């Protein structure tokens, strides 16, 4: 297990997954290590806009050009991760006309195809837009599913021989004779798939080169290697609505500001965002005013949002970087560009490069440039094909069409599975019989959940990001236990129980930020279903004390019926049915 | 013609029905107005009284401070509740002082359960003792409950009878193998095995469970075999699935199924299956739509008829008209957009909690919309919750706060209207889910509210008569 690899990539976000795919396709022996599941970091907590570049067309034309270029590439190689929603920059009466014109010119200068439409036409396309929206610039924005995208990149890397280790945290960077030679990793439940209750292990992985793709955490990894990586994490909130009030990505056409974009996603719509510098990428306040700001400000564009039901809110941290000495105060002014920090050049520490900044839309381009860089370091000659080779699931879409015809999966559930799985649909959906629906809100069937479990072990959050199960209206209230039940074929009872608890608690975290109106009713219903009907919270299997079963009613005419148990009415005594919890 | 009654009950769930019957039995002329279906169709059909006193201290957070992305709870550190409790009455004193059981007294719970027993007759078990029974839940746990439907009676956990839990491959609510193993982990005194069988897979994959219930009711053929025969054939090979420590086998003597063994002919379906399998048969209550809950609802509506309560559904109470003395004169009922006053001498608010929409909220606050009763709650929405999903959640206790006569109190702690009483989930102060006390609270508050409303109405009549006589 401890033989040396060519390259270790630290970080399983869009950047790391893109890099490991590129390395593997160029024939290098690569290992990806990620401390959570794939997309655990910023990538799993972003807005999901596949930028057309329009957003940067005034302030940062280099980024804008990169965006439109990669936007086109991803529609091609990752078609099952992209929904072609289109986008609009809408102007309200109080928004600056001059800026509108600049935006238009900027887009044209960056080769972003645009169309200007008036308010009437904008409302014809998006009926919920405010009456006083004057006009809009139409751009080729799209929605991208970051989860599916990362999983597909990792899967392709794996098919090309890479080793992918999730729940494997780098705890040290190994340095010998002044050079980086590998990393020390703590596996949460041993190498391979995560399984609850499997003990953790430690492993030293050696390699010729280490790529630090830990985004907002890049500074922490830098510290382990004794070098400074000056990332400035900046948090942003996103609020998920229960339906698609709009089917187009709606941007506010003004210079910069909080709460200026709505992106439709699957069954939902996501409002965003804010931009505030934080010190720790994992421990920052998630504040009420941020959620309120989303609803208040964005209802200026789409008034129904004020009354609409929100499902949850979540926050992400941008891995912003600025070269030392720039000294920008306002995080919104920090460039969205990405940087390669060659620690040999910079810090006299050969063997490691950090990649920081950037955005998801340009992840592939970032990966290509760092892979070029690593190949040069390793003297490895190979060309990059990631802009042409489709990702697993996106290859040969005609097969998909045939499949839909052949099996007649036209029901909404079949159609949605096929959208999610792309060309893998055939493989995944065939052979699971019967194939009942497990998550009703999102229409996820047993076959998809089992496919997720095959890939991710008992880690139901990893199953969730692969399938969308538990991400709809009920936020897991009606399906956490069902998803967990699917583990029972492969895993013993305590693993199932722990996995279930973990998913339920995870789903609760985001809902806390949507606790009013209909979502609070839903939360109470979920609480009654799980605590009252199922008694998950008081399950004797999870309590420390033993239960004196004979103190309870055993039916008329039995001893216990009259109650022979402990006098104080409490049946629990010390002991421990299951002390290993 | 003016609509008038002695007592008007708003809300037709377990609490409203209990209050209406209690008032009628005091001799009042009662009318019940309910908006939509009650939560009984979502409920398990079990009647919980008090099964735990949950901890009120928070679970240990993984990080200090306000909620943050990195803050969670340490599952190894969450505090255990006091229970399961064998005796619900003995534990009432350990509940918080503003809990409805403490405010109304333990006798209210006794009276509520007694009324329930009378209304449902032998359809339910548990009335022979004060003790709770432990009943398997579809989450694979056992839970303490005070009254259980006959269909669940053979499944009581305080029994050493070898048990088989059956799941259906096409049903995703639970996996019978994990279910059985979890019961074992709970330390149940009986050997248990779980099996997933093939049954009714011919039905469309998204068919509702009620479809299966109907098939069993009518014993309709599925793929050529009558439903009951098909089901027992699928289960029969597994009657010897329990293997003991020495490799010996126990024949099971009871078999648990998900709760859709028939609807209109449930008892007959169970008896038939028991006969074919040579083992007792019981149902495990399930989530919505819940047949045991629906069966209970049917029984309770029949009881309303028997007790002479007039009831109508489909129209909400949207407001009240008050008289000069601060009493409520009439409630306004919205009938297809037309607002109609319903007058009465006394009123019971039993409009449900956050689920039944008797309690509503928005980003600014929490309120009771029909009578505009006071609902105490923290101003800051971020104090409505705690980190642990199963922790001491303030939202779970939202509701109006009653005095000992079930009269809602205003912000100053004064009776808000002299002739208004509250019952059921609209009443706060209990975390019925963690306590396993939901129906008990509805019954206890229902009885008190109903009786007090009837007496208040009778008093009002006496006063009216006196006034008339003196004129
Ligand atoms: C609010 C918000 C909205 C955004 N919206 C968009 C958008 O609409 N479109 C767009 O294109 N971009 C958007 N972005 C930007 C985009 O999300 C990020 O640029 C991108 O996801 C960064 O990916 P990454 O792989 O570099 O970082 P991450 O996804 O953060 O990946 C780093 C990974 O490293 C792991 N890690 C950290 N430390 C260790 C360790 N010691 N050992 C092992 N693993 C470790 C982390 O767990 C993490 O998974 C948005 C960002 C934010 C914050
Ligand atoms: C998922 C779930 C599981 C449960 N499981 C159990 C269990 O295992 N054991 C147990 O003991 N209890 C259980 N319960 C609790 C129990 O079923 C009842 O919810 C509880 O007793 C409260 O009943 P209620 O009559 O107060 O409210 P509800 O049942 O909510 O009834 C309120 C009624 O009032 C109507 N209404 C609302 N507003 C108005 C208005 N303005 N005008 C007129 N009518 C109005 C509603 O439409 C509804 O019909 C469960 C509940 C749920 C939701």
């Amino acid at each position: 297990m401890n033989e040396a690899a060519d390259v270790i990539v630290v970080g399983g976000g869009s950047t790391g997954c893109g890099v490991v795919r590129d390395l593997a396709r160029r024939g290098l022996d690569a290992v990806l290590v990620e401390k959570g599941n794939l997309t655990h970091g910023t990538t799993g907590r972003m807005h999901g806009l596949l930028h057309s570049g329009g957003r940067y067309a005034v302030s940062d034309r280099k980024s804008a050009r990169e965006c439109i270029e990669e936007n086109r590439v991803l529609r091609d190689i990752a078609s099952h991760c992209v929904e072609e929603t289109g986008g609009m920059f809408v102007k309200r009466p109080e928004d600056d006309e001059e800026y509108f014109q600049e935006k238009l010119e900027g887009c044209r200068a960056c080769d972003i195809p645009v169309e200007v439409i008036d308010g009437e036409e904008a409302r014809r396309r998006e009926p919920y837009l405010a009456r006083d929206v004057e006009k809009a610039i139409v751009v080729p924005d799209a929605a991208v599913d970051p989860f599916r995208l990362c999983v597909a990149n990792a899967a392709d890397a794996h098919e090309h021989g890479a080793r992918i280790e999730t729940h494997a945290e780098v705890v040290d960077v190994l340095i010998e004779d002044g050079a980086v030679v590998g990393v020390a990793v703590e596996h949460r439940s041993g190498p391979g798939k995560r399984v609850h209750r499997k003990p953790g292990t430690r492993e030293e992985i050696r390699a010729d080169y280490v790529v630090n793709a830990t985004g907002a955490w890049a500074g922490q990894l830098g510290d382990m290697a004794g070098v400074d990586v000056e990332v400035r994490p900046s948090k942003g909130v996103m609020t998920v609505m229960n339906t698609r009030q709009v089917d187009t990505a709606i941007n506010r056409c003004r210079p910069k500001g909080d709460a200026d974009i709505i992106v439709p996603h699957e069954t939902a719509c996501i409002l965003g965002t804010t931009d505030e510098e934080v010190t720790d990428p994992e421990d920052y306040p998630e504040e009420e005013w941020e959620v309120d700001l989303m609803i208040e400000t964005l209802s200026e564009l789409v008034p129904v949002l004020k009354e609409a039901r929100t499902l949850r809110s979540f926050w992400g941290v941008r891995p912003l970087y600025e070269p030392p000495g720039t000294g920008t105060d306002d995080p919104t002014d920090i460039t969205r560009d990405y940087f390669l920090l060659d620690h040999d050049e910079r810090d006299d520490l050969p063997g490691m490069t950090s990649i920081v900044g950037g955005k998801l839309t340009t992840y592939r381009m970032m990966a290509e440039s760092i892979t070029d860089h690593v190949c040069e370091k390793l003297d490895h000659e190979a060309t990059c094909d990631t802009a042409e080779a489709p990702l697993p699931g996106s290859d040969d879409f005609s097969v998909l069409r045939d499949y839909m015809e052949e099996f007649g999966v036209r029901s909404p559930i079949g159609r949605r599975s096929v959208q999610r799985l792309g060309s893998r649909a055939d493989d995944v959906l065939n052979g699971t019989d019967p194939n009942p629906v497990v998550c009703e809100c999102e229409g996820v069937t047993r076959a998809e959940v089992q496919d997720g479990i095959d890939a991710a072990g008992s880690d139901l959050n990893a199953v969730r990001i692969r399938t969308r199960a538990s991400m709809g209206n009920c936020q897991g209230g009606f399906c956490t236990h069902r998803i967990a039940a699917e583990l029972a074929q492969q895993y013993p009872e305590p693993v199932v129980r722990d996995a279930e608890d973990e998913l339920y608690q995870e789903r609760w975290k985001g809902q806390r930020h949507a606790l009013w109106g209909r979502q609070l009713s839903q939360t109470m219903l979920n609480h009654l279903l799980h605590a009252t009907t199922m008694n998950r919270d008081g399950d004797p299997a999870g309590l420390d004390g033993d239960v004196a079963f004979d103190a309870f009613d055993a039916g008329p005419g039995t001893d216990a019926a009259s109650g022979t148990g402990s006098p104080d009415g409490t049946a629990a005594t010390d002991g421990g049915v299951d002390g290993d919890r | 013609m003016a609509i008038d009654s002695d007592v008007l009950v708003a809300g037709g769930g377990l609490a409203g029905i209990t209050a209406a019957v209690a008032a009628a039995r005091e001799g009042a002329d009662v009318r019940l107005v309910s908006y939509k279906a009650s939560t009984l169709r979502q409920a398990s059909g079990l009647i919980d009284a008090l099964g735990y006193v949950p901890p009120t201290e928070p679970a240990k957070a993984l990080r200090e401070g306000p909620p943050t992305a990195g803050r969670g709870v340490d599952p190894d550190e969450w505090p255990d509740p006091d229970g399961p409790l064998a005796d619900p009455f003995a534990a009432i004193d350990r509940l918080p002082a503003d809990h409805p059981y403490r405010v109304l007294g333990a006798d209210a719970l006794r009276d509520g359960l007694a009324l329930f027993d009378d209304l449902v007759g032998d359809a339910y078990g548990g009335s022979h003792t004060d003790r709770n029974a432990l009943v398997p839940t579809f989450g694979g746990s056992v839970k303490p409950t005070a009254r259980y439907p006959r269909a669940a009676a053979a499944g009581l956990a305080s029994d050493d009878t070898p048990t088989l839990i059956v799941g259906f491959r096409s049903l995703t609510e639970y996996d019978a193998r994990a279910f059985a193993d979890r019961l074992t982990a709970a330390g149940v005194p009986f050997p248990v095995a779980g099996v997933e069988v093939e049954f009714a897979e011919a039905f469309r994959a998204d068919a509702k469970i009620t479809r299966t219930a109907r098939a069993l009711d009518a014993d309709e053929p599925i793929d050529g075999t009558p439903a009951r025969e098909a089901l027992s054939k699928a289960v029969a090979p597994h009657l010897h699935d329990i293997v003991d420590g020495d490799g010996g086998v126990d024949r099971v003597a009871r078999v648990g199924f998900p709760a859709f063994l028939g609807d209109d002919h449930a008892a007959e379906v169970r008896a038939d299956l028991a006969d074919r399998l040579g083992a007792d048969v019981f149902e495990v209550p399930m989530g919505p739509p819940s047949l045991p809950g629906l069966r209970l609802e049917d029984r309770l509506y029949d009881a309303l008829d028997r007790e002479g309560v007039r009831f109508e559904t489909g129209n909400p109470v949207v407001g009240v008209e008050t008289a000069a003395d601060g009493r409520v004169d009439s409630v306004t009922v919205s009938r297809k957009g037309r607002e109609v006053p319903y007058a009465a001498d006394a009123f019971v608010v039993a409009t449900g909690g956050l689920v039944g929409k008797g309690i509503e909220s928005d980003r600014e606050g929490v309120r009771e919309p029909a009578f505009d009763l006071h609902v105490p709650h923290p101003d800051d929405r971020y104090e409505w919750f705690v980190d642990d999903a199963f922790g001491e959640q303030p939202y779970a206790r939202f509701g109006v706060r009653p005095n000992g006569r079930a009269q809602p109190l205003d912000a100053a702690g004064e009776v808000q209207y002299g002739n208004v009483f509250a019952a059921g989930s609209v009443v706060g102060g209990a975390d019925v889910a963690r306590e396993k006390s939901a129906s008990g609270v509805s019954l206890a508050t229902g009885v008190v509210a109903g009786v007090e409303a009837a007496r208040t109405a009778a008093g009002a009549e006496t006063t009216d008569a006196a006034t008339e006589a003196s004129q």
Side-chain angles (χ1 to χ4, degrees), chain A residues 125-154:
Chain A
R125 297 187 192 182
E126 284 304 338
Y128 287 107
L129 275 183
R131 296 291 106 195
D132 51 358
V133 160
E134 286 176 352
K135 53 183 175 177
I137 305 173
V138 177
V139 294
D141 282 345
V144 57
D145 185 320
F147 306 116
R148 234 175 278 159
L149 182 68
C150 285
V151 169
N153 271 283

Side-chain angles (χ1 to χ4, degrees), chain A residues 72-137:
Chain A
R72 293 193 173 113
V73 170
L74 289 190
R75 283 165 195 260
D76 237 29
I77 64 158
S79 49
H80 75 304
C81 307
V82 176
E83 184 190 344
E84 310 219 357
T85 60
M88 282 184 205
F89 282 86
V90 302
K91 179 183 175 311
R92 287 183 47 83
E94 66 270 29
D95 300 337
D96 184 24
E97 172 64 23
E98 207 172 308
Y99 185 76
F100 189 88
Q101 295 306 330
E102 276 178 54
K103 177 74 79 188
L104 198 56
E105 276 157 38
C107 286
R108 288 186 175 132
C110 298
D111 291 326
I112 300 166
V114 288
E115 179 195 357
V116 177
I117 57 175
D118 63 13
E120 275 314 292
E121 176 60 17
R123 277 184 292 275
R124 198 188 60 74
R125 297 187 192 182
E126 284 304 338
Y128 287 107
L129 275 183
R131 296 291 106 195
D132 51 358
V133 160
E134 286 176 352
K135 53 183 175 177
I137 305 173

Side-chain angles (χ1 to χ4, degrees), chain A residues 283 288 446 531 537-538 549 577, chain B residues 52 68 137 158 169 185 380 436:
Chain A
D283 201 3
E288 182 176 4
R446 169 173 291 160
D537 60 323
F549 281 87
V577 185
Chain B
Y52 296 84
T68 73
T137 77
S158 300
R169 298 195 320 167
D380 182 349
K436 323 302 151 183

